[in-house]
């Protein structure tokens, strides 16, 4: 039984559940309980070893966040060092009269090394060492920690906005965004903790000075008045112990302060300090040759230490020679022969089918000032964002968006761009390549100076600002995006609007190949029930109404079942929408508990149904294109945008409910008169939905 309890205790200790609390309690116990000189030797040695390890870790780490426990470790080591000072002070004052080894071998050894036979010189040197630690290292590390914490916290909103911009542009997914947000939060917490921990380091230096004064004055007084020692003997005895005690505490303090300063001053590129010194300080032979020349001039000056200066001259020359022999990356040479051959006139031009240029599904043309956004040397930000747009649209809509071709067009203005769909220019825009776009948020705390303009994608009022104004704009409540994100956002909008035009005949083959992997028999029967022309009209109609084709199994099952009754694409589309009603409503309403919607007035509804019946009596007519009274069209043109704006003002998704017979034609007019207004039929609302009718279209 006892062995089991002991095993459990050791297991908890190994797992670290109680090891740290026990360590902290032991550290605090040193203030109360007297320690033997042997125990002092062990604890002082452990303190030095720990400080050396921390310094080596700080020098070799690649990022400050790799040593995120450093502020806590700094606090623990400082507390342990202060308690050791208290314990050693007790031993020095109680047993200092017994001799040099009264406080342990470590204190004695450190005192003898620094004093070296002269107590006055040793005492002065020790005071200088403490002043350096207090005034230079700890004070500098404290100031750097304070500034780093302030700058990190000021830059936190901008970093969060940059992560959101990359997420919206499709450059990263939700998991990557979550990871980057955690890293940003950890960085802010780390520098904030370092700002606080640096105060402990400086306080430790102040405490060391006070302990020195107490030990010297108190020790001399105790030695003279209590143990009847002469003044010289008491001075030598207690100064030796005091300096040794102070050195044992100050050397780890200096090491930890240096480690703290190294960590907060790192501007790392992913290398340790040694690699960065080698690449940044000693990488240019010209600088080393110049330094060697200066040292040689100083060496030949009369009175100078010629041997030392000439030795460093030779060392610098050797380092410069070795660096000049290092292999440098070869510059990219232009193949002049290939250029000449390409520019040479073709004496026998041949016209073939290959000479006719192909019509690209979607293309992006740039003015010459915007070409830098696709320059690989500068990271090609526009190419990355456009690739992200293509990925996001493809994943959301369930179809592969064609590759977006980016090329330069000298016919455009320098800062202009044009978006082409199937060879036809569909949209244009102009951006300021040297500036950033500041978009006003919902709450602004001031206005920023810049060039007023409108967003080319959505027509919002924006301000073009300089790069240096980014932090100020973020603090004032603006959302700041770069030009590559602006262009990519416009491409995203145009591609979504024209996705039905980009979905072609051959895309059905790839879509059904995905279906065959999930339901082979279903894919076979669907191909037999409906031909590709019919399927193309259905799929395009679904994409036109922003219905995703990801759930191709449900879509195919519905089409196969309904194809036995009708081949009308509008009716088949309506059946698919009914089967996907929950996904459609979730896409519109999100996670809102209540579904708010407008309905159509009974009188207007009867007039539209009467027009539909009249058209059907004259012959077969499509549900989305039967003739309607012009007065009704004018009424819809005036009221639909009003419904859209009213629901947007209430932060509700714009939604209009109509009867199933009228949904196709009303949806068509909604796309014409109020783009963004969703039109659903009553049967497309799930039975368990909490419907709230907020108004009537009349």
């Amino acid at each position: 039984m006892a062995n089991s309890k002991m095993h459990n205790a050791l297991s908890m200790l190994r797992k670290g559940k109680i090891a740290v609390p026990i360590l902290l309690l032991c550290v605090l116990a040193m203030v109360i309980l007297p320690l033997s000189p042997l125990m002092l030797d062990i604890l002082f040695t452990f303190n030095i070893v720990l400080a050396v390890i921390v310094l080596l870790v700080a020098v070799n780490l690649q990022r400050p966040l790799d040593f995120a426990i450093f502020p806590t470790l700094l606090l623990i080591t400082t507390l342990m060092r202060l308690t050791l000072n208290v314990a050693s002070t007790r031993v020095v004052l109680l047993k200092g009269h017994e001799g040099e080894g009264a406080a342990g071998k470590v204190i004695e050894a450190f005192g003898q090394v620094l004093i070296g036979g002269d107590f006055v010189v040793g005492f002065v040197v020790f005071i200088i060492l403490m002043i350096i630690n207090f005034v230079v290292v700890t004070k500098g590390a404290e100031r750097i920690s304070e500034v780093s914490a302030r700058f990190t916290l000021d830059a936190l909103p901008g970093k969060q906005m940059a992560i959101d911009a990359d997420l919206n542009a499709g450059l990263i997914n939700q998991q990557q965004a979550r990871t980057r947000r955690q890293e940003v939060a950890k960085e802010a917490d780390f520098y904030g903790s370092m700002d606080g921990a640096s105060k402990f380091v400086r306080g430790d230096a102040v405490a060391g000075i006070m302990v020195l004064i107490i030990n010297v004055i108190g020790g001399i007084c105790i030695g003279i008045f209590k143990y009847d020692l002469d003044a010289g003997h008491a001075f030598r005895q207690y100064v030796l112990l005091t300096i040794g005690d102070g050195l044992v505490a100050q050397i780890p303090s200096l090491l930890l302060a240096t480690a703290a300063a190294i960590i907060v001053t790192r501007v790392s590129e992913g290398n340790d300090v040694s690699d960065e010194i080698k690449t940044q300080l000693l990488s240019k032979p010209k600088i080393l040759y110049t330094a060697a020349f200066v040292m040689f001039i100083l060496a030949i000056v009369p009175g100078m230490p010629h041997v030392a200066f000439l030795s460093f001259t030779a060392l610098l020359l050797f380092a410069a020679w070795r660096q000049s022999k290092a292999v440098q990356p070869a510059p990219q040479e232009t193949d002049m022969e290939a250029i000449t051959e390409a520019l040479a006139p073709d004496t026998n031009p041949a016209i073939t089918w290959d000479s006719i240029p192909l019509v690209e599904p979607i293309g992006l043309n740039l003015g010459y000032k915007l070409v830098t956004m696709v320059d690989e040397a500068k990271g090609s930000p526009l190419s990355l964002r456009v690739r992200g747009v293509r990925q996001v649209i493809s994943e959301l809509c369930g179809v592969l968006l064609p590759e977006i071709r980016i090329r330069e067009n000298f016919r455009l203005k320098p800062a202009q761009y044009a978006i082409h769909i199937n060879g036809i220019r569909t949209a244009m825009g102009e951006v300021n390549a040297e500036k950033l776009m500041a978009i006003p948020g919902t709450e602004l705390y001031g206005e920023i100076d810049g060039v007023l303009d409108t967003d080319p994608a959505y027509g919002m009022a924006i301000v073009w600002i300089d790069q240096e104004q980014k932090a100020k704009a973020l603090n004032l409540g603006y959302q700041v995006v770069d030009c590559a994100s602006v262009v990519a956002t416009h491409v995203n909008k145009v591609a979504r609007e024209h996705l039905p035009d980009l979905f072609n005949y051959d895309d059905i083959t790839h879509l059904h190949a995905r279906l065959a992997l999930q339901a082979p028999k279903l894919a076979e029967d669907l191909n037999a029930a409906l031909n590709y022309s019919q399927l193309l009209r259905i799929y395009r109609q679904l994409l036109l109404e922003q219905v995703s084709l990801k759930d191709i199994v449900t879509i195919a099952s519905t089409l196969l079942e309904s194809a036995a009754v009708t081949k009308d694409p509008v009716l088949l589309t309506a059946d698919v929408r009914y089967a996907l009603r929950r996904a459609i409503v979730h896409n519109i309403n999100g996670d809102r508990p209540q579904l708010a919607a407008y309905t159509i007035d009974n009188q207007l509804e009867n007039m539209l149904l009467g027009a539909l019946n009249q058209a059907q009596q004259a012959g077969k007519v499509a549900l989305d294109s039967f003739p309607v009274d012009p007065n009704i069209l004018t009424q819809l043109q005036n009221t639909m945008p009003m419904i859209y704006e009213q629901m947007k003002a209430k932060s509700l998704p714009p939604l209009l409910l109509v009867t199933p017979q009228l949904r196709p034609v009303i949806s068509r007019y909604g796309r014409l008169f109020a783009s963004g207004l969703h039109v659903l039929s009553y049967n497309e609302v799930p039975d368990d939905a909490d419907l709230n009718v907020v108004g009537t279209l009349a």
Side-chain angles (χ1 to χ4, degrees):
M1 185 70 177
N3 292 334
S4 177
K5 292 182 178 179
M6 181 65 67
H7 179 73
N8 294 333
L10 293 175
S11 178
M12 292 180 63
L13 191 62
R14 282 196 300 270
K15 293 179 180 179
K17 294 181 178 180
I18 61 173
V20 175
I22 289 177
L23 176 62
L24 292 176
L25 291 175
C26 292
V27 168
L28 296 175
M30 289 189 291
V31 180
I32 303 171
L33 303 177
L35 298 179
S36 63
L38 178 61
M39 185 59 66
L40 282 179
D41 290 344
I42 296 173
L43 293 175
F44 277 130
T45 306
F46 172 75
N47 192 23
I48 295 171
V49 170
L50 183 60
V52 171
I53 293 174
V54 170
L55 179 62
L56 293 176
V57 172
V59 171
N60 290 280
L61 60 85
Q62 296 181 351
R63 299 185 311 142
L65 287 181
D66 294 340
F67 200 14
I69 199 177
F70 180 74
T72 304
L73 194 62
L74 192 63
L75 174 60
I76 294 174
T77 54
T78 302
L79 180 62
M80 184 176 68
R81 192 162 53 251
L82 291 174
T83 53
L84 278 175
N85 274 335
V86 175
S88 62
T89 299
R90 181 191 296 113
V91 175
V92 168
L93 296 180
L94 290 176
K95 300 181 179 182
H97 65 282
E98 297 178 1
E100 299 176 350
K105 297 294 182 182
V106 175
I107 293 178
E108 180 187 2
F110 273 83
Q112 292 286 358
V113 168
L114 183 61
I115 289 176
D118 195 327
F119 290 89
V120 178
V121 174
F123 189 75
V124 172
V125 171
F126 179 68
I127 293 295
I128 293 173
L129 178 63
M130 294 189 67
I131 292 174
I132 291 173
N133 187 22
F134 174 68
V135 176
V136 180
V137 181
T138 58
K139 188 175 180 63
E142 180 187 11
R143 179 59 179 165
I144 294 172
S145 299
E146 181 181 349
V147 173
S148 299
R150 184 183 305 167
F151 284 2
T152 303
L153 293 175
D154 290 343
L156 185 61
K159 293 179 178 179
Q160 296 283 6
M161 299 268 312
I163 295 172
D164 294 338
D166 290 345
L167 179 63
N168 295 332
L171 298 179
I172 56 176
N173 54 32
Q174 290 285 352
Q175 183 61 36
Q176 292 172 327
R178 191 179 299 110
T179 303
R180 286 176 57 178
R181 289 193 187 100
Q182 291 175 354
E183 288 183 358
V184 170
K186 286 182 181 178
E187 185 180 9
D189 293 341
F190 174 79
Y191 283 105
S193 301
M194 283 298 302
D195 183 26
S198 61
K199 304 296 190 299
F200 287 94
V201 177
R202 191 180 184 193
D204 181 32
V206 176
I209 297 175
M210 297 178 66
V211 168
L212 170 73
I213 297 173
I214 292 171
N215 282 347
V216 172
I217 297 175
I220 293 174
C221 294
I222 290 173
I224 295 175
F225 297 110
K226 185 175 182 180
Y227 297 105
D228 297 327
L229 301 177
D230 60 276
H233 181 67
F235 180 79
R236 285 193 304 272
Q237 186 67 35
Y238 283 98
V239 166
L240 173 65
L241 293 174
T242 299
I243 292 176
D245 182 22
L247 271 181
V248 173
Q250 286 302 311
I251 287 180
S253 175
L254 183 61
L255 294 177
L256 289 174
T258 305
I262 290 174
I263 288 178
V264 297
T265 54
R266 290 291 302 277
V267 184
S268 179
E269 297 179 354
N271 300 320
D272 56 30
V273 176
S274 302
D275 294 335
E276 291 181 351
I277 291 176
K278 183 179 178 182
T279 56
Q280 299 181 23
L281 185 64
L282 305 175
S283 61
K284 297 183 178 180
K286 292 182 179 179
I287 296 177
L288 298 178
Y289 280 125
T290 305
F293 177 74
V294 173
M295 294 300 298
F296 178 75
I297 297 298
L298 294 175
I300 62 178
V301 174
M304 287 292 183
H306 307 296
V307 176
F309 279 43
L310 288 175
S311 299
F312 276 98
T313 301
L315 182 62
L316 288 171
L317 289 173
F318 176 74
W321 175 77
R322 287 292 302 272
Q323 197 65 32
S324 63
K325 295 296 182 181
V327 179
Q328 301 292 334
Q332 295 182 354
E333 297 181 356
T334 306
D335 194 348
M336 297 304 298
E337 294 183 357
I339 293 177
T340 305
E341 183 179 352
L343 295 177
D346 193 354
T347 56
N348 297 315
I351 301 176
T352 62
W353 280 101
D354 296 333
S355 305
I356 304 175
L358 299 176
V359 176
E360 297 176 350
I362 180 169
L364 176 62
N365 291 356
L366 304 176
Y368 70 85
K369 278 190 176 181
L370 305 183
V371 177
T372 56
M373 293 191 295
V374 293
D375 187 3
E376 293 183 358
K378 298 183 179 181
S380 189
L382 181 58
S383 300
L384 294 175
R385 283 166 173 76
V386 168
R387 191 180 302 120
V389 167
R390 184 174 179 234
Q391 179 179 353
V392 170
I393 293 178
S394 301
E395 291 177 356
L396 290 177
C397 300
V399 296
L400 182 64
L401 185 70
E403 186 177 356
I404 303 172
R405 302 286 184 181
I406 305 176
R407 54 171 50 90
E408 186 178 6
N409 189 345
F410 288 102
R411 297 181 178 178
L412 298 174
K413 295 179 180 180
Q416 202 173 37
Y417 65 90
I419 305 171
H420 294 250
I421 301 295
N422 292 327
I424 306 299
R425 188 174 69 188
T426 306
M428 292 187 66
E430 191 169 354
V431 295
N432 200 324
E434 293 82 16
K435 296 182 180 292
L436 298 174
M437 177 184 288
I439 306 171
T442 55
E443 295 183 3
L444 293 180
Y445 305 101
E447 295 183 357
I448 193 167
D449 296 331
V451 181
L452 299 178
D453 202 353
T454 56
D455 174 39
Y458 296 98
M460 299 183 298
I462 57 96
V463 183
W464 291 107
I465 62 174
D466 296 328
Q467 302 280 345
E468 297 80 11
Q469 296 177 283
K470 181 178 180 180
K472 181 181 178 181
L474 292 173
N475 292 331
L476 292 177
Y478 288 85
Q479 181 182 356
V480 181
V481 295
D482 58 0
C483 291
S485 299
V486 175
V487 177
T489 301
H490 202 173
V491 172
N492 177 59
K493 178 177 179 291
V494 173
R496 286 178 181 271
E497 292 175 350
H498 294 82
L499 192 58
D501 301 327
L502 297 172
F503 186 85
N504 55 43
Y505 205 84
D506 289 336
D507 290 330
I508 301 177
T509 304
H510 301 293
L511 188 63
H512 285 196
R514 295 186 65 228
L515 174 62
L517 294 175
Q518 304 176 67
K521 182 60 177 175
L522 177 61
E524 182 183 348
D525 292 347
L526 180 62
N527 290 331
L530 296 170
N531 58 46
Y532 273 25
S533 298
Q534 295 168 327
L535 290 170
L536 182 63
R537 292 184 61 187
I538 297 168
Y539 291 149
R540 281 183 170 179
Q541 185 64 31
L542 289 171
L543 293 174
L544 182 64
E545 296 177 356
Q546 299 180 2
V547 178
S548 175
L549 304 184
K550 286 193 298 183
D551 191 4
I552 187 59
V553 175
T554 302
I555 296 173
S557 301
T558 305
L559 290 177
L560 183 61
E561 182 180 354
S562 301
V565 180
T566 180
K567 297 293 193 297
D568 189 342
V570 177
L571 297 177
L572 291 174
T573 302
D575 291 341
V576 172
R577 288 180 58 89
Y578 177 77
L580 299 176
R581 59 189 182 280
R582 292 189 179 276
I584 294 174
V585 171
H586 183 270
N587 185 44
I588 296 173
N589 203 47
D591 295 327
R592 295 179 178 86
Q594 194 175 61
L595 182 64
Y598 267 74
T599 59
I600 194 168
D601 182 71
N602 290 332
Q603 184 179 358
L604 179 59
E605 184 180 26
N606 292 330
M607 293 172 63
L608 290 170
L609 289 174
L612 175 61
N613 293 330
Q614 186 177 355
Q616 289 177 337
Q617 291 175 3
K620 188 177 181 180
V621 65
L623 293 177
D624 60 346
S625 63
F626 60 88
V628 178
D629 190 307
N631 294 326
I632 297 178
L633 289 181
T634 304
Q635 185 178 353
L636 294 175
Q637 188 176 4
N638 294 330
T639 53
M640 279 186 167
M642 294 173 57
I643 292 174
Y644 177 83
E645 295 298 334
Q646 289 174 6
M647 298 195 73
K648 291 293 284 186
K650 298 178 182 178
S651 298
L652 298 174
L655 177 61
L656 176 64
L657 295 181
V658 298
T659 59
Q661 298 94 326
L662 297 178
R663 198 210 67 82
V665 71
I666 297 296
S667 177
R668 174 166 163 258
Y669 293 142
R671 292 191 296 272
L672 293 174
F673 302 147
S675 180
L677 176 64
H678 304 282
V679 180
L680 297 182
S681 63
Y682 292 113
N683 63 348
E684 291 175 353
V685 178
D687 297 335
D688 56 350
D690 186 7
L691 182 62
N692 179 25
V693 179
V694 296
T696 303
L697 186 150

